[in-house]
Amino acid sequence: MRSAARVGVFGLLGSGNLGNDGSLEAVLGYLRAEHPEAVVDALCGGPEVVESRYGIRATRLHWYRGEYRTASRAGAMAAKGLGKLVDAFRTAAWVRRHDVVIVPGMGVLEATLPLRPWGFPYALFLLCASGRLVGTRVALVGVGAAPIGNRPTRALVRWSARLAAYRSYRDVQSRDAMRAMGVDTARDEVYPDLAFALPTPPAGAPSGTVCVGVMDFHGGNDDRARAEEIHRRYLDGAIRFVRALVEEGRPVRLLTGDECDAPVVAAILDAVDSPLVTAAETASLADLMKETAAADTVVATRYHNLICALKVGTPTLALSYAAKSDALMDRMGLGAYCHPAREVDADQLLEQFREVEKRAAELRQTLTERNEVAAQQLAHQFTTLTTNLFPRKAR
């Protein structure tokens, strides 16, 4: 009798980012449907959340609990350095206990937001190197990638991708970025983001509501010198846009995608100060999809805010902060409706918003068609996963 497959999932999961957790939920749904006998556990950022929410055992990703806090004192710096050494052994021991480890989606091969090489890029490298050393298949499934300027980060990302046993990407630009870094991508496929595999709630009745998805946006890894300037411009533009909607009598629902976005919501509520503006409380992508399904139109920044709106078929305008957002909008037939998050112009944003509303019926039909294609492509992704990671089952 064959033993059950031991499957690990890895990443910044349970750490407050709804998109990351949604990708995990999609992969768990696949495993429970196609491989119900598999024994699944996680090495992740928020083990308590993952255990309580998803019912699987979970281990903390880093030995040092202050990993993502800036270390300024000698003691903290020494502890963080020791943690890097301890994590190498902890990660290898965890990987050894599995037949397969899946990294579910997420932008694990990019640095479009501020990122230090010895944080998550180092953790991912340890995972992929451990998999190669102990013979455990590590799969990067539907991940995002982008050109990386910082040399240490780029080297860690490149070697992580090379050492993985399986790779697929959430857009063509991600695959192109890894090819440009020197990774052989000849057998790597591109599929829609894993979140498109989640259940879709029914559309709501027209309400006049506009969902505005905001983000604690300070630019990317190469924008550190301008971070505060970029943030002020983004916030000022968002406030002006929301105020203009309120002046037209439109109800506005503020959305987030990460716990760190809460101060932006608070700043907008304080600046606009209108009963027409309310903040949604969302704990999952399912919650976000319910909010966007009940809206007439969505204007959003975070990548998975956009996915939720597009998946439920709501006409959407992207406040785009990276090429991945542009690629997503283009894939879904709304490529003309992107506005740069780094240079928000409220007047121009309003013009684009009105154009989206004018074409709402046409855009909804386009999204219905594109979502059908996405569902078919993801079904193929999961079939391919079974063939590559669970060959005994595939036979």
Side-chain angles (χ1 to χ4, degrees):
M1 183 176 178
R2 291 169 178 164
S3 59
R6 299 164 298 171
V7 182
V9 289
F10 175 94
L12 293 178
L13 309 165
S15 301
N17 184 286
L18 301 187
N20 291 359
D21 291 354
S23 298
L24 168 62
E25 189 176 342
V27 165
L28 290 178
Y30 152 70
L31 290 172
R32 287 164 178 164
E34 299 299 327
H35 306 279
E37 76 290 348
V39 178
V40 184
D41 73 311
L43 184 62
C44 60
E48 298 86 359
V49 173
V50 168
E51 287 187 343
S52 64
R53 185 175 294 169
Y54 302 109
I56 61 174
R57 293 182 60 186
T59 302
R60 186 171 297 280
L61 180 59
H62 300 289
W63 173 79
Y64 178 56
R65 289 177 177 262
E67 175 61 37
Y68 293 105
R69 294 195 297 266
T70 302
S72 54
R73 295 184 180 181
M77 293 175 68
K80 184 172 280 194
L82 175 62
K84 301 302 176 190
L85 179 61
V86 174
D87 283 344
F89 292 96
R90 289 177 71 250
T91 302
W94 182 81
V95 171
R96 186 189 294 273
R97 297 196 295 269
H98 298 84
D99 301 304
V100 173
V101 174
I102 295 174
V103 180
M106 306 177 285
V108 297
L109 303 178
E110 64 181 49
T112 52
L113 297 175
L115 183 71
R116 300 293 188 188
W118 305 114
F120 187 78
Y122 174 70
L124 183 66
F125 170 74
L126 290 180
L127 174 80
C128 296
S130 297
R132 184 61 65 94
L133 285 171
V134 304
T136 297
R137 293 185 294 276
V138 174
L140 309 181
V141 181
V143 299
I148 298 173
N150 181 275
R151 287 186 177 183
T153 302
R154 185 170 64 245
L156 288 166
V157 164
R158 178 173 61 245
W159 277 104
S160 296
R162 284 176 172 173
L163 292 168
Y166 174 87
R167 297 179 298 269
S168 64
Y169 306 98
R170 62 189 181 190
D171 52 51
V172 172
Q173 288 85 341
S174 293
R175 183 172 62 184
D176 290 347
M178 295 315 300
R179 183 183 297 119
M181 286 188 214
V183 176
D184 181 2
T185 61
R187 297 195 300 172
D188 298 353
E189 297 292 338
V190 173
Y191 298 99
D193 190 274
L194 289 170
F196 281 101
L198 295 173
T200 306
S207 63
T209 300
V210 180
C211 280
V212 178
V214 299
M215 179 178 179
D216 185 28
F217 180 61
H218 293 76
N221 218 40
D222 299 328
D223 297 318
R224 292 179 183 272
R226 300 177 51 233
E228 286 310 311
E229 174 194 342
I230 290 171
H231 181 67
R232 282 195 304 272
R233 183 163 186 173
Y234 170 80
L235 182 57
D236 289 346
I239 289 171
R240 287 187 60 203
F241 177 69
V242 170
R243 185 177 288 131
L245 292 176
V246 168
E247 288 172 353
E248 295 177 1
R250 300 294 294 273
V252 175
R253 192 82 162 143
L254 299 177
L255 308 178
T256 61
D258 195 294
E259 292 173 356
C260 69
D261 300 331
V264 179
V265 170
I268 294 173
L269 289 172
D270 183 62
V272 179
D273 190 22
S274 167
L276 287 173
V277 184
T278 56
E281 294 184 6
T282 53
S284 66
L285 291 193
D287 291 342
L288 276 173
M289 281 191 270
K290 288 176 184 175
E291 292 285 347
T292 57
D296 285 7
T297 310
V298 175
V299 179
T301 309
R302 279 199 179 272
Y303 183 74
H304 281 90
N305 276 198
L306 293 173
I307 285 178
C308 288
L310 297 167
K311 180 170 169 52
V312 300
T314 302
T316 302
L317 173 57
L319 276 171
S320 175
Y321 69 88
K324 63 184 179 183
S325 300
D326 297 338
L328 171 65
M329 295 292 284
D330 188 60
R331 175 194 281 269
M332 299 303 290
L334 276 69
Y337 301 110
C338 296
H339 188 94
R342 283 175 177 77
E343 300 176 356
V344 179
D345 182 323
D347 293 333
Q348 184 182 358
L349 187 60
L350 275 167
E351 289 181 15
Q352 290 178 288
F353 169 77
R354 292 188 177 108
E355 178 64 23
V356 169
E357 293 221 307
K358 188 186 302 182
R359 296 184 57 204
E362 176 189 347
L363 297 179
R364 286 182 182 276
Q365 180 59 37
T366 297
L367 289 174
T368 297
E369 295 167 359
R370 298 299 173 98
N371 275 304
E372 290 173 357
V373 173
Q376 295 168 4
Q377 292 171 332
L378 279 172
H380 184 260
Q381 161 74 103
F382 292 136
T383 299
T384 301
L385 267 189
T386 293
T387 302
N388 282 273
L389 303 184
F390 304 94
R392 291 181 300 182
K393 175 103 178 209
R395 288 199 297 267

